[in-house]
Amino acid sequence: MFAVVRTGGKQYRVAAGDKIVVEKLAGEASATIALDDVLLAGEGTELKDTKGLTVSAEIIAQAKGEKVIVFKKRRRHNYRRKNGHRQQHTILRILSIGAEKKAAPKKAAKKADEAPAAEVGAA
């Protein structure tokens, strides 16, 4: 089964066992996170409903990308600026693609003893 998820403004096609590098996500290494923004899911050539579908992933590491040099220059104006930047990344291992597990809402139990006791005393 595969899914297309959106995180960090980008879209990734993932399947169970895949490793992907995404924009930095909060969490420590070996923590499990859920990617809720599933755009498309399917198995083979069949597409599946994505309502309530989540992708479970494990954080392998928090890392930095390669250094990008930003160099600005204006000819004949003695203007040169050099900057570097390393983007923060999170490396994820996709554990499973499945339905979201939600706890059933708790309902307050009505006490049967209180309501009839008031009516019996009045009669």
Side-chain angles (χ1 to χ4, degrees), residues 40-63:
L40 181 77
E43 195 163 352
T45 58
E46 294 183 24
L47 297 180
K48 306 225 176 201
D49 185 26
T50 60
K51 185 172 182 173
L53 197 66
T54 61
V55 174
S56 177
E58 176 189 13
I59 297 176
I60 296 174
Q62 301 284 7

Side-chain angles (χ1 to χ4, degrees), residues 8-71:
K10 298 177 182 74
Q11 299 174 8
Y12 302 91
R13 183 187 189 276
V14 297
D18 286 353
K19 290 182 184 177
I20 59 172
V21 178
V22 299
E23 296 285 325
K24 184 167 175 69
L25 297 172
E28 296 294 321
S30 75
T32 303
I33 61 170
L35 302 173
D36 297 328
D37 198 2
V38 179
L39 304 174
L40 181 77
E43 195 163 352
T45 58
E46 294 183 24
L47 297 180
K48 306 225 176 201
D49 185 26
T50 60
K51 185 172 182 173
L53 197 66
T54 61
V55 174
S56 177
E58 176 189 13
I59 297 176
I60 296 174
Q62 301 284 7
K64 285 186 174 182
E66 299 231 350
K67 188 171 219 177
V68 177
I69 303 297
V70 180
F71 185 73

Side-chain angles (χ1 to χ4, degrees), residues 57-115:
E58 176 189 13
I59 297 176
I60 296 174
Q62 301 284 7
K64 285 186 174 182
E66 299 231 350
K67 188 171 219 177
V68 177
I69 303 297
V70 180
F71 185 73
K72 298 178 182 179
K73 179 179 178 180
R74 291 193 182 151
R75 293 184 345 167
R76 297 182 297 274
H77 289 281
N78 195 22
Y79 175 84
R80 289 185 295 275
R81 301 291 182 265
K82 183 178 177 182
N83 271 328
H85 175 74
R86 293 185 71 185
Q87 187 68 36
Q88 300 281 340
H89 292 301
T90 299
I91 304 170
L92 297 176
R93 177 184 296 121
I94 305 302
L95 299 175
S96 65
I97 301 169
E100 183 175 346
K101 297 177 184 176
K102 289 186 178 179
K106 296 181 181 178
K107 295 183 179 179
K110 294 182 181 179
K111 294 185 180 178
D113 298 335
E114 294 177 6

